[in-house]
Amino acid sequence: MGLRGDAGLSAEPLTGLPPVNELAAALDAPHAEAVAAARRAIDQRRRALLAGETGPVDLVAAARVVLAQMRRPSLRRVINATGVILHTNLGRAPLPAAARAAVAHAAEGYSNLELDLETGARGSRHAHVEGLLRELTGAESAMVVNNGAAAVLLAAAALAGAGRSIVVSRGQLVEIGGGFRIPDVIAQSGSRLVEVGTTNRTQLGDYERAIEDQERARPAAILRVHQSNFRTVGFVADVSVEQLCGLSVPVIDDVGSGVVAQGLVALGNEPSLHRSVAAGAALVCCSGDKLLGGPQAGLLLGSAAAVTAARSHPLARALRIDKLSLAALEATLALYRDPARARREIPVLAMLDAGDRNLTRKAQALQSAIGDAGSEIVQATAKAGGGALPLLELHGPAVAISERFDPVAVATALRASDPPVIGRIHHGRLLLDPRTLADHEVDLVARVVTDALHSAAPG
Ligand SMILES: *Cc1c(COP(=O)(O)O)cnc(C)c1O
């Protein structure tokens, strides 16, 4: 059999390789796809042979595996067994069933995204959630954009921008992660940053002096930023949103997570949208896919004048939310009308609130399916993640894979499985945390883990 393009290689062990076209013809796939899969399978085999591998191999079967891998979408469903509820790398909040249904419905056909069905005139996409947001938070007006970062950028540009200044405490010049740094965001909004206070302590008087400084133009806004992903402790002081709103400058309050839920102990004193709105902030900004538990989105709530300024700013178009996210957001927000239903049906809230009985049941089902030789139940600590509630420790049972298995090797095998299962390594052991597993995922995880342990030699 011919060996195309292999002139430079030692041909001795390679002479058995078929031509690409011959192997491609054995695959039931469109020509270009079959050729690509055949070429990859032959390449793999050639490298294996050169590495000294011997023994028979079914190349057609190998090419079919390659073909299946090529056909797999890049963005795939994975199972989160990390116990980190809002894992940014894993897409943050899983959506409630009602939101998933709303997305499917909006995606199926046309929608009244920007059409007023009553008058037939052009409508606003914000109208689909503005009523709900007003009802749930008491805000006078509201709009939504692509994400939390966009909400802060737009708020700063709309209330200041054009070289006007924004006052920020030095304790709040934070980095949220992934390139979101408050000084950079203010610069990008076209505003000038006026820093007040110190890293650990900022007092009301610091803001007052910045506002009344006769040498400078009066600031256009005060920006307050929640310390989402860290805490300062010890000799610290900051100024409440109520006190800031008592000053004579509009306040932008970036609360980060957007807590709407009530009656959840785990939420601690994470700032609620309701409180900032009630304090009188001109614009309150937050994410849609953190503790709110909805899709990626950025919420802006506040006075009618401030929201109008944000809506009519040229950046609003560039930052606007798409219809699928909007559908998911409307459905998620609607669940909050019944607080008990929200806690039950919004996965992020249900995971934060999961009781010991529920967690133990899932951990035991998983552990007994994997077996005592490969696993045991241990006590572990799950986290909120996503840059929220950094100190919150959610104690509960987890399944630890036996130390006989190399944790990195098992984690790698689980990531390569279908579906990929993502665990976390803690003190040299791979843990699978039931808190972030849906009930119906437990059997699937047990199957994937059992297969992976079978193929991973104990090390
Ligand atoms: C998360 C966060 C943001 C950014 O929100 P995204 O939705 O991730 O863009 C901005 N500010 C604060 C305080 C945050 O916690």
Side-chain angles (χ1 to χ4, degrees):
M1 279 184 179
L3 256 186
R4 299 134 65 91
D6 283 329
L9 299 174
S10 149
E12 188 49 38
L14 304 173
T15 46
L17 289 172
V20 170
N21 277 334
E22 192 174 299
L23 181 56
L27 301 174
D28 183 21
H31 182 69
E33 215 182 357
V35 167
R39 183 164 286 136
R40 265 195 233 175
I42 291 173
D43 273 354
Q44 281 174 6
R45 182 64 190 149
R46 179 180 297 126
R47 264 178 272 127
L49 290 170
L50 288 173
E53 263 181 47
T54 52
V57 161
D58 182 347
L59 256 186
V60 175
R64 288 208 176 105
V65 171
V66 171
L67 188 64
Q69 284 167 351
M70 282 169 50
R71 285 179 169 177
R72 262 200 323 237
S74 170
L75 181 62
R76 285 196 289 154
R77 171 84 182 270
V78 307
I79 293 182
N80 177 7
T82 64
V84 179
I85 297 172
L86 296 167
H87 203 303
T88 299
N89 300 357
L90 303 184
R92 288 199 186 154
L95 292 179
R100 301 197 302 268
V103 171
H105 211 65
E108 250 167 53
Y110 297 97
S111 61
N112 61 335
L113 181 63
E114 291 192 352
L115 177 72
D116 184 330
L117 288 175
E118 237 170 77
T119 63
R122 172 152 193 191
S124 158
R125 67 182 61 212
H126 304 295
H128 304 294
V129 289
E130 183 177 19
L132 269 166
L133 285 170
R134 289 172 49 184
E135 178 189 323
L136 293 171
T137 67
E140 191 181 7
S141 190
M143 70 178 287
V144 285
V145 290
N146 177 62
N147 61 5
V152 181
L153 177 64
L154 182 58
L159 297 193
R164 289 178 296 173
S165 61
I166 297 183
V167 181
V168 188
S169 159
R170 289 193 174 88
Q172 296 173 3
L173 291 173
V174 300
E175 171 173 321
I176 300 297
F180 184 84
R181 292 176 150 194
I182 293 299
D184 298 340
V185 173
I186 289 178
Q188 286 300 319
S189 76
S191 314
R192 215 162 46 75
L193 170 64
V194 173
E195 301 178 16
V196 297
T198 64
T199 303
N200 57 329
R201 290 174 71 82
T202 303
Q203 320 261 10
L204 191 59
D206 296 319
Y207 288 97
E208 287 169 340
R209 279 190 294 282
I211 292 168
E212 275 138 33
D213 185 346
Q214 303 296 333
E215 316 255 290
R216 282 195 292 224
R218 203 177 162 71
I222 294 171
L223 172 63
R224 185 169 176 273
V225 186
H226 180 51
Q227 293 183 340
S228 292
N229 46 8
F230 72 106
R231 293 288 179 266
T232 43
V233 295
F235 189 53
V236 294
D238 62 7
V239 182
S240 70
V241 63
E242 288 81 7
Q243 285 177 299
L244 287 184
C245 291
L247 300 171
S248 54
V249 170
V251 172
I252 300 168
D253 194 9
D254 176 12
V255 295
S257 250
V259 169
V260 178
Q262 299 156 21
L264 264 184
V265 181
L267 290 175
N269 48 12
E270 188 72 8
S272 75
L273 291 177
H274 202 273
R275 173 174 170 184
S276 295
V277 167
L283 285 175
V284 183
C285 306
C286 77
S287 252
D289 56 356
K290 293 187 186 171
L291 295 174
L292 188 78
Q296 178 186 307
L299 279 50
L300 290 139
L301 319 161
S303 69
V307 172
T308 300
R311 277 193 203 190
S312 49
H313 190 280
L315 269 178
R317 167 64 189 258
L319 304 176
R320 79 182 180 187
I321 190 170
D322 89 298
K323 65 181 178 186
L324 301 184
S325 307
L326 195 56
L329 183 61
E330 181 184 9
T332 306
L333 290 171
L335 292 173
Y336 279 104
R337 283 182 162 145
D338 176 350
R341 187 170 174 211
R343 288 197 297 272
R344 226 175 25 245
E345 294 189 21
I346 296 176
V348 168
L349 302 183
M351 289 172 187
L352 276 171
D353 203 27
D356 220 44
R357 276 217 347 244
N358 166 292
L359 296 170
T360 303
R361 184 175 45 73
K362 283 192 280 187
Q364 279 172 348
L366 184 56
Q367 193 277 329
S368 64
I370 298 171
D372 291 342
S375 64
E376 64 175 319
I377 291 185
V378 297
Q379 285 301 307
T381 316
K383 306 283 281 179
L389 299 163
L391 304 184
L392 178 67
E393 299 196 328
L394 296 161
H395 299 285
V399 176
I401 300 302
S402 159
E403 280 157 330
R404 295 189 299 119
F405 296 93
D406 172 19
V408 175
V410 177
T412 304
L414 292 183
R415 283 198 312 277
S417 300
D418 189 23
V421 171
I422 319 295
R424 75 169 188 273
I425 293 175
H426 182 70
H427 289 323
R429 299 184 77 173
L430 183 70
L431 299 188
L432 303 167
D433 197 313
R435 188 174 295 266
T436 44
L437 295 179
D439 284 337
H440 68 271
E441 289 175 332
V442 172
D443 288 345
L444 195 55
V445 173
R447 194 223 348 119
V448 166
V449 172
T450 307
D451 287 352
L453 294 186
H454 268 296
S455 51

